[in-house]
Amino acid sequence: MIVDTRTPNPKNFISGATGDWELVIGLEVHAQITSKSKLFSASSTSFGGEPNDHVSLVDAAMPGMLPVINKYCVEQAVRTGLGLKAKINKRSVFDRKNYFYPDLPQGYQISQFKDPIVGEGTVHLDMPEDGAVEVGIERLHMEQDAGKSIHDLVPGKSVVDLNRSGVALMEIVSKPDIRSADEAKAYVTKLRTILRYLGTCDGNMEEGSLRADVNVSVREPGGEFGTRCEIKNVNSIRFIGQAIDYEARRQIDILEDGGEIDQETRLFDPKSGVTRSMRSKEEAHDYRYFPDPDLLPLEFDQAFVDEIAASLPELPDEKQARMIEQYGLSAYDAGLLVDEPETAAFFEAVAEGRDAKVAVNWVMGDLAAHANQVGKPVADAGISAGQLGSLIDLIADGTISGKIAKDVLDIMIAEGGEPAQIVQDKGLKQVTDTGAIEAIIDEVIAENPDKAAQVKEKPKMAGWFVGQVMQKSGGKANPQAVNAILAQKLGL
Ligand code: ADP
Ligand code: MG
């Protein structure tokens, strides 16, 4: 029985010819477990390498070979379950999922069916407009990855690379709690962040370490769940959004034309942006699951779970809550910072002993813009937390204005160096000497007697004078001093 946990939100409705529609989405995410060796063999899991370099007799399914469970992979799955605030099942069972495919030499995949290692959990999302959304986790189970058939390498022949065969995967199945493409993208992003914090999956979608099967249906807002289609193996967050948008429109058009949705498996083509039917429910495999007789049920005790729990890092939700509390940040700012653990650590190093709001503006503003431009993470964009901190100190103690600080950051990015040294070498120190500022102001007033006469009636013109003075000072005049002296001289 599927329970609907969400109140329909009109902002998510899609308008059709006959009225509004609501999307219902559930995701099955395949995440490769970070481990040196495979789930049931000692072969390496490293990416790349020559075809069939990392294949043992077990991975190649030679007769008589027996699988041996990799304890580290089990720990990683439990760790992930704990990170998803999920129920850990101390007894789980490995089943054979039977199907024939050239890249699956066993003729079956070892997976978990009825008794997965992890049960129900939850992932918390912060949507920019709608706030908190809780997405239920149905289960997490462990399974083996398959190899890869290659059809365009040897003319006239297909060849197979079994390097991935037997690599450990976690399949993380969400409840159908997601109601828009944006929520689906936020869910995968958040899940990936949690996995990276835990160190249980590197989340690298280009290398296939994380991919999603996207289940999509539409219904009248708040109505009965509709028939779903499953879009297989989508390998980027952007494509997940595009596939959902396309699929929603396709299903709505069919229903509004009086048709019915076939429950089917579809594929998303990123080039054309459409989904295509792969197989219908009638053609669906009967996998004839049964417990793998080569493997005992997987059993561990509470002490095993407790030890893993004790080693968990501070997770994104907790870090976000602490940052809101400790630095007085908005939920949104804190949420951005915790996306990457390195960015959060970088921010904390900059904020230490400084105004946190100013620190977040520099980290997520100018520095993030630069990082984005060079395609690097904020913490690795060429500016250290120490350098950025010193720059902020120079603003705080009045040595430079915020505007000059942006120039100094540009110089640091281009040439490197410590901000104080740059300010000294380039003569960027702020002019606070009131005598010098007065002299510039007198000059500007003398050059513009007509404007000086008008300014009393049009006080807004004072801003023009500030601009002139700042320009003449090369941006170095202390803005507060300029304002004060100008007001006095212009008689405002
Ligand atoms: P199966 O085992 O046949 O794939 P599941 O019940 O395990 O079916 O569901 C798989 C995924 O489909 C889950 O992520 C679930 O949330 C999602 N799902 C189930 N019903 C719907 C629906 N009506 N619309 C969209 N997604 C759904
Ligand atoms: Mg499925």
Side-chain angles (χ1 to χ4, degrees):
M1 241 303 276
I2 306 177
V3 184
D4 192 352
T5 59
R6 302 284 306 274
T7 312
N9 177 353
K11 274 198 229 128
N12 289 335
F13 295 172
I14 302 172
S15 57
T18 60
D20 284 338
W21 296 88
E22 188 184 23
L23 265 169
V24 172
I25 302 158
L27 292 163
E28 297 161 271
V29 170
H30 286 93
Q32 179 179 334
I33 295 180
T34 300
S35 66
K36 287 208 178 70
S37 49
K38 296 183 180 179
L39 184 52
F40 299 112
S41 83
S43 315
S44 165
T45 58
S46 61
F47 182 76
E50 290 298 307
N52 299 307
D53 254 6
H54 309 309
V55 185
S56 71
L57 296 171
V58 176
D59 309 323
M62 288 298 147
M65 293 297 115
L66 289 174
V68 178
I69 185 86
N70 178 340
K71 185 179 176 196
Y72 184 72
C73 291
V74 176
E75 288 170 7
Q76 292 287 65
V78 170
R79 213 172 149 72
T80 306
L82 293 170
L84 300 175
K85 299 174 177 59
K87 179 169 183 286
I88 307 298
N89 294 324
K90 280 173 267 181
R91 181 180 192 279
S92 63
V93 174
F94 285 104
D95 297 280
R96 288 188 181 180
K97 180 178 182 181
N98 297 279
Y99 61 102
F100 175 77
Y101 220 70
D103 56 22
L104 186 75
Q106 285 168 163
Y108 57 85
Q109 177 192 31
I110 306 178
S111 181
Q112 297 188 305
F113 186 49
K114 280 208 205 87
D115 300 296
I117 186 164
V118 174
E120 292 187 328
T122 155
V123 170
H124 175 93
L125 311 181
D126 281 308
M127 298 306 294
E129 284 181 24
D130 301 326
V133 168
E134 305 294 332
V135 177
I137 297 294
E138 178 72 40
R139 59 189 271 146
L140 175 158
H141 64 256
M142 283 189 281
E143 63 186 25
Q144 307 173 290
D145 205 352
K148 197 169 116 192
S149 297
I150 307 165
H151 307 292
D152 55 3
L153 194 65
V154 184
K157 282 194 178 127
S158 285
V159 292
V160 71
D161 176 6
L162 296 180
N163 279 351
R164 289 192 70 96
S165 170
V167 165
L169 302 178
M170 297 179 280
E171 178 167 337
I172 303 166
V173 183
S174 88
K175 303 204 178 227
D177 288 349
I178 298 165
R179 294 289 175 271
S180 68
D182 281 345
E183 286 183 5
K185 293 198 287 186
Y187 168 76
V188 177
T189 305
K190 182 64 177 282
L191 189 59
R192 187 175 59 172
T193 299
I194 294 170
L195 296 170
R196 283 181 173 162
Y197 268 69
L198 293 165
T200 56
C201 169
D202 65 24
N204 191 331
M205 296 185 88
E206 284 102 72
E207 291 180 6
S209 305
L210 194 81
R211 44 195 204 261
D213 298 344
V214 187
N215 295 271
V216 180
S217 65
V218 298
R219 63 174 179 180
E220 284 172 23
E224 295 278 307
F225 283 118
T227 303
R228 72 190 149 100
C229 290
E230 178 175 359
I231 310 158
K232 277 275 177 208
N233 259 325
V234 190
N235 65 357
S236 98
I237 290 177
R238 193 160 53 90
F239 294 161
I240 291 174
Q242 290 173 357
I244 292 170
D245 286 338
Y246 177 85
E247 192 56 24
R249 195 32 77 187
R250 187 188 73 85
Q251 293 184 14
I252 291 169
D253 287 349
I254 291 174
L255 293 171
E256 292 193 330
D257 278 349
E260 276 179 17
I261 305 301
D262 290 329
Q263 186 173 338
E264 59 184 1
T265 305
R266 300 180 69 86
L267 280 179
F268 176 69
D269 174 12
K271 283 201 200 85
S272 56
V274 311
T275 65
R276 289 199 185 85
S277 180
M278 201 172 120
R279 57 174 183 257
S280 70
K281 196 185 177 185
E282 292 78 56
E283 303 161 53
H285 298 289
D286 173 4
Y287 293 118
R288 295 175 296 120
Y289 280 101
F290 64 89
D292 191 319
D294 289 342
L295 288 156
L296 289 170
L298 176 61
E299 290 181 309
F300 43 76
D301 56 15
Q302 189 58 38
F304 178 77
V305 180
D306 290 345
E307 200 174 315
I308 296 169
S311 75
L312 288 192
E314 181 182 40
L315 290 168
D317 289 342
E318 300 157 12
K319 199 187 277 292
Q320 183 184 16
R322 177 175 62 74
M323 284 198 171
I324 292 170
E325 167 83 23
Q326 184 174 342
Y327 302 108
L329 298 180
S330 68
Y332 181 77
D333 281 347
L336 284 182
L337 286 169
V338 303
D339 269 353
E340 307 276 345
E342 295 80 12
T343 305
F346 185 92
F347 162 78
E348 295 208 70
V350 176
E352 170 87 49
R354 301 191 175 92
D355 183 329
K357 194 65 208 164
V358 173
V360 83
N361 285 342
W362 280 94
V363 172
M364 296 317 288
D366 292 84
L367 187 58
H370 162 66
N372 198 19
Q373 220 163 37
V374 295
K376 292 230 167 117
V378 167
D380 192 25
I383 301 292
S384 71
Q387 280 175 302
L388 188 60
S390 307
L391 184 66
I392 293 172
D393 291 342
L394 293 177
I395 310 168
D397 70 13
T399 306
I400 53 174
S401 66
K403 194 164 169 300
I404 290 286
K406 286 178 192 279
D407 298 339
V408 176
L409 181 68
D410 286 342
I411 296 169
M412 278 155 62
I413 287 167
E415 304 168 15
E418 285 304 316
Q421 194 64 45
I422 293 170
V423 167
Q424 196 183 359
D425 292 351
K426 311 252 174 196
L428 296 172
K429 199 165 176 321
Q430 179 160 253
V431 179
T432 42
D433 169 7
T434 46
I437 295 175
E438 255 188 271
I440 299 174
I441 289 178
D442 287 343
E443 220 178 286
V444 174
I445 292 176
E447 283 165 12
N448 301 281
D450 45 334
K451 289 208 170 68
Q454 288 169 7
V455 74
K456 269 206 182 134
E457 281 106 69
K458 298 188 197 160
K460 273 195 191 141
M461 272 179 58
W464 181 84
F465 276 95
V466 174
Q468 292 297 306
V469 175
M470 291 307 289
Q471 203 177 1
K472 258 191 199 288
S473 76
K476 288 185 287 184
N478 175 303
Q480 286 86 12
V482 172
N483 278 324
I485 301 170
L486 254 181
Q488 186 200 340
K489 296 248 176 197
L490 294 173
L492 297 174

